[in-house]
Amino acid sequence: MRAGRLPRALAVLTGVTGLLVSAAAPAFAETPERPDTVQQRAYESAAAEFGVPQQLLMAVSFQLTRWEDHHGEQSKAGGYGPMHLVEVSAEQLREQHPKLVRYADEPSLHTLTEAAELTDTDPEQLKTDVVQNIRAGAALLAHRAEEIDGGAPEEIDDWYPAVAEFSGDAQADGAQSFADDVYDVLGQGRARTTSSG
């Protein structure tokens, strides 16, 4: 656990769009959910299901993708969805980064498959279904914590090693830098409007 940088009173993340959604609509109104509302609820339910603090889950997602889902397409870094679940094949590496082919079996290049197994979900669904992607990301983060601590930490500060491990960075400095950035998001809060509105 790092010392000194994490404030005790964490700033509240203002949600996917940074806007407060009014719940004052009449009960009989049949309005479809806005994408940001669906995504916000996905973070809430996934956090509850897997025992991950919601604000931490959202901060990890923000640091990975700025809450973007890339419309089901693979990002340039090989990840899918707002939780950036990675699936990079040896063939992709051979075409795009030939010098990295020897790393094709690295677990950090197959977090999509791992998360799919943890949630008993089709990997293809995790690429395009934002709700299931967030759920699988929460399961993966909880799994990282369990591998390190034997269970979900009680204090949000104690999730730091799991967040560093979740980064997938094989270098300790890179993993620590990612975790530091996530905790900076927690400390300061973030707000943005995603491409889906």
Side-chain angles (χ1 to χ4, degrees):
M1 184 171 74
R2 67 185 181 154
R5 290 202 55 209
L6 181 65
R8 282 316 219 180
L10 297 173
V12 177
L13 290 174
T14 56
V16 174
T17 62
L19 301 173
L20 295 175
V21 179
S22 172
F28 58 83
E30 292 284 336
T31 56
E33 287 186 302
R34 290 175 27 180
D36 57 327
T37 303
V38 170
Q39 196 165 336
Q40 180 68 45
R41 289 183 181 169
Y43 287 110
E44 292 172 8
S45 63
E49 181 179 357
F50 294 101
V52 178
Q54 180 188 339
Q55 63 268 42
L56 181 67
L57 182 62
M58 291 183 69
V60 168
S61 177
F62 180 87
Q63 194 57 39
L64 289 167
T65 65
R66 302 302 189 257
W67 298 316
E68 292 291 344
D69 67 1
H70 301 290
H71 309 289
E73 298 296 321
Q74 190 175 35
S75 73
K76 290 180 181 178
Y80 291 92
M83 294 306 297
H84 192 69
L85 300 175
V86 178
E87 194 59 45
V88 179
S89 68
E91 184 178 321
Q92 282 177 291
L93 287 175
R94 200 171 293 112
E95 290 174 4
Q96 298 168 12
H97 307 285
K99 293 180 180 178
L100 301 179
V101 170
R102 66 181 181 272
Y103 299 111
D105 293 331
E106 283 293 313
S108 62
L109 297 180
H110 304 286
T111 58
L112 181 99
T113 299
E114 183 183 4
E117 290 171 358
L118 288 171
T119 57
D120 195 25
T121 308
D122 183 346
E124 291 302 311
Q125 185 179 9
L126 298 185
K127 294 178 180 180
T128 57
D129 186 327
V130 171
V131 173
Q132 290 303 318
N133 183 279
I134 293 169
R135 180 174 174 266
L140 191 59
L141 184 56
H143 183 66
R144 295 289 182 264
E146 186 175 341
E147 288 178 321
I148 294 167
D149 295 321
E154 291 185 17
E155 300 295 329
I156 200 165
D157 309 42
D158 297 332
W159 282 86
Y160 185 90
V163 172
E165 184 69 22
F166 190 91
S167 74
D169 198 316
Q171 301 297 318
D173 287 350
Q176 183 176 349
S177 177
F178 174 81
D180 285 347
D181 290 342
V182 167
Y183 277 80
D184 283 344
V185 171
L186 279 172
Q188 299 173 27
R190 292 292 189 275
R192 74 178 297 268
T193 301
T194 64
S195 61
S196 62

